[in-house]
Amino acid sequence: MNDEMSRRRGRPPGKPETNPAERILDAAAESFATHGSRGAAMRAIADAAGMRAPSIYNHFASKDELLIAVGKRYFAALVPELQAASRMPGSGVERLEHLIRVATAVSTAHPFDHLTMVRELMQVRREPGAESLVADGQRCIAIWHLVIRRGQADGSLRRDITPAGMTWLIFTAITGLTDPGRRADILGDPSTRNVDTLCAVLIDGARPVSR
């Protein structure tokens, strides 16, 4: 697997080849993010993972199980980072910036895992065995809301936007930064589309409005 393919699937260039299950997850995440779980074909996933389709079933019993595994991998990376960032010292707005930075780092390191969950979490939550994904998703939302409420309480974040509204805006911005399909050069200099720009705009907008 060349460096370009590794980069597109969320692994740093030059990282040693992964085991078969990880290759399947990488290929599946890209397929789910691109085509949706219904449009993703197990044969195409197998081809992208460099194996025959029947070999996938040695690791995952079904496409639904594979989708759940992608979600578990994503939340296993994301939840501890959000928890740690939410406990950082400082004001609410400072902790919110920490959250934005770690969430962006995880999402850009695992872009197709992130986009798969954005696209498919509402669907996959109905599947048997997906209870932990639902719980992890709710845990992430609760962390964002708690940090925002504390920032509103200490006066470092504006109070005229609800925690749900602010979380939605931040999450949408992170997803736009993560999605390679939304980073066309027609949007301007790619070097400016980074977490520093994201924080500068979002954090400034989240501060109390001076009157």
Side-chain angles (χ1 to χ4, degrees), residues 11 20 23 30 62 65 78 92 94 100 126 144 162 186:
R11 294 196 303 273
R23 292 206 313 273
E30 183 169 355
S62 66
E65 184 176 307
L78 179 62
E94 290 170 330
I100 293 172
R126 301 182 180 91
W144 286 99
T162 65
I186 60 171

Side-chain angles (χ1 to χ4, degrees), residues 87-101:
R87 301 184 185 114
M88 296 288 287
S91 65
V93 71
E94 290 170 330
R95 283 192 292 272
L96 181 61
E97 181 169 349
H98 288 308
L99 283 184
I100 293 172
R101 289 184 177 279

Side-chain angles (χ1 to χ4, degrees), residues 74 107 110-119 171 174-175 178:
Y74 174 65
S107 297
H110 306 277
F112 295 115
D113 291 15
H114 173 87
L115 295 171
T116 293
M117 288 297 96
V118 169
R119 182 168 185 165
F171 186 78
I174 291 173
T175 298
T178 301

Side-chain angles (χ1 to χ4, degrees), residues 73-85:
R73 181 174 71 170
Y74 174 65
F75 283 119
L78 179 62
V79 172
E81 294 293 336
L82 292 182
Q83 290 173 330

Side-chain angles (χ1 to χ4, degrees), residues 150-164:
R150 287 179 174 173
Q152 291 172 330
D154 69 22
S156 63
L157 291 173
R158 58 193 299 173
R159 298 184 181 183
D160 59 330
I161 302 176
T162 65

Side-chain angles (χ1 to χ4, degrees), residues 28-208:
E30 183 169 355
S31 188
F32 292 147
T34 304
H35 305 292
S37 60
R38 293 182 180 178
M42 293 294 269
R43 184 175 297 277
I45 292 171
D47 288 345
M51 62 182 62
R52 299 180 62 183
S55 299
I56 289 183
Y57 297 100
N58 294 329
H59 303 275
F60 303 97
S62 66
K63 186 161 64 173
D64 288 338
E65 184 176 307
L66 186 51
L67 180 58
I68 290 170
V70 169
K72 287 182 176 179
R73 181 174 71 170
Y74 174 65
F75 283 119
L78 179 62
V79 172
E81 294 293 336
L82 292 182
Q83 290 173 330
S86 72
R87 301 184 185 114
M88 296 288 287
S91 65
V93 71
E94 290 170 330
R95 283 192 292 272
L96 181 61
E97 181 169 349
H98 288 308
L99 283 184
I100 293 172
R101 289 184 177 279
V102 299
T104 302
V106 171
S107 297
T108 53
H110 306 277
F112 295 115
D113 291 15
H114 173 87
L115 295 171
T116 293
M117 288 297 96
V118 169
R119 182 168 185 165
E120 300 294 332
L121 185 56
M122 294 297 289
Q123 175 66 29
V124 75
R125 68 179 184 173
R126 301 182 180 91
E127 301 298 332
E131 296 84 3
S132 66
L133 292 188
V134 175
D136 282 337
Q138 293 173 338
R139 188 174 296 116
C140 291
I141 292 171
I143 291 170
W144 286 99
H145 288 188
L146 178 62
V147 168
I148 292 168
R149 283 196 298 269
R150 287 179 174 173
Q152 291 172 330
D154 69 22
S156 63
L157 291 173
R158 58 193 299 173
R159 298 184 181 183
D160 59 330
I161 302 176
T162 65
M166 198 175 294
T167 300
W168 166 80
L169 180 60
I170 292 168
F171 186 78
T172 300
I174 291 173
T175 298
L177 189 64
T178 301
D179 188 349
R182 299 181 182 222
R183 301 182 67 181
D185 289 341
I186 60 171
L187 297 178
D189 182 2
S191 67
T192 65
R193 298 196 296 274
N194 55 45
V195 69
D196 291 330
T197 302
L198 198 68
C199 285
V201 173
L202 293 177
I203 292 299
D204 186 60
R207 295 183 190 277

